[in-house]
Amino acid sequence: MNAHLQPTGSAYFIAKETSAIESHTLSVLVDNEPGVLARVIGLFSGRGYNIESLTVSETEHEAHLSRITIVTRGTPGVLEQIKAQLERIVPVHRVLDLTVRARDLGQERPIEREVALVKVVSSGEMRAETLRLADAFQAKVVDATVDHFIFEITGKSSKIDQFVSIMKPLGLNEICRTGIAAMNRGSQGM
């Protein structure tokens, strides 16, 4: 077997090698009913697509609608295929590629935010340094004892990544992240 052949178990390798792999944020409006999320996730796993971030919440209570925000990677062709396949799932009302919409509006990316809880266990001088750096990142203390802090930090994923890397040598103990919530700028809705 030729060692240069690309793996065939993933849809990422269907597109020509010349296509660049991009990260896109998709917003999917669905009926809020049991099994919908499993069907959406099944579409991704069954075709070998990876999900980098996933958030879901009911957004229109009276209409029983939920919004799923998915960050995934692929070539432009693969991303179009993902969008088309999502649109065919029955309880899906709308699929919008927020990354493409942002570019159409002359922006680099949609507005993307994430929340994280970060636990840091430290003592002595490290505690003071931990608080100083947390303040620089505008991280809020939501729990504290004599041996630990739990910080809440909100922002772009890159900001959270940087905060986590700075906290590692100071006693980083645990991290919980929400995943990305995203929306395009301007007055037009989904």
Side-chain angles (χ1 to χ4, degrees), residues 114-142:
E114 188 174 5
V115 177
L117 296 175
V118 179
K119 185 183 292 184
V120 179
V121 176
S122 60
S123 60
E125 291 295 317
M126 297 295 256
R127 285 181 66 77
E129 182 67 4
T130 300
L131 279 175
R132 186 185 70 72
L133 288 168
D135 186 54
F137 277 84
Q138 299 176 334
K140 178 181 168 187
V141 176
V142 293

Side-chain angles (χ1 to χ4, degrees), residues 13-82:
F13 301 106
I14 293 172
K16 295 178 184 176
E17 290 180 35
T18 57
S19 298
I21 292 179
E22 302 175 351
S23 177
H24 279 234
T25 304
L26 306 176
S27 188
V28 186
L29 192 62
V30 300
D31 287 337
N32 185 14
E33 60 184 44
V36 174
L37 183 59
R39 291 174 71 187
V40 169
I41 301 297
L43 180 144
F44 279 80
S45 65
R47 289 163 178 80
Y49 304 140
N50 189 37
I51 295 175
E52 294 182 359
S53 176
L54 173 72
T55 59
V56 61
S57 181
E58 185 175 62
T59 56
E60 297 180 41
H61 185 68
E62 291 79 28
H64 301 289
L65 295 176
S66 289
R67 184 172 176 154
I68 302 172
T69 304
I70 302 167
V71 178
T72 190
R73 293 179 58 81
T75 62
V78 167
L79 293 164
E80 275 301 314
Q81 184 180 29
I82 289 170

Side-chain angles (χ1 to χ4, degrees), residues 112-171:
E112 297 177 341
R113 294 296 182 266
E114 188 174 5
V115 177
L117 296 175
V118 179
K119 185 183 292 184
V120 179
V121 176
S122 60
S123 60
E125 291 295 317
M126 297 295 256
R127 285 181 66 77
E129 182 67 4
T130 300
L131 279 175
R132 186 185 70 72
L133 288 168
D135 186 54
F137 277 84
Q138 299 176 334
K140 178 181 168 187
V141 176
V142 293
D143 186 57
T145 66
V146 294
D147 66 349
H148 85 278
F149 294 106
I150 297 178
F151 298 103
E152 174 188 310
I153 183 167
T154 304
K156 293 180 179 181
S157 295
S158 58
K159 174 186 174 182
I160 294 172
D161 292 341
Q162 188 178 16
F163 181 71
V164 166
S165 69
I166 286 174
M167 289 296 147
K168 280 183 183 175
L170 297 173

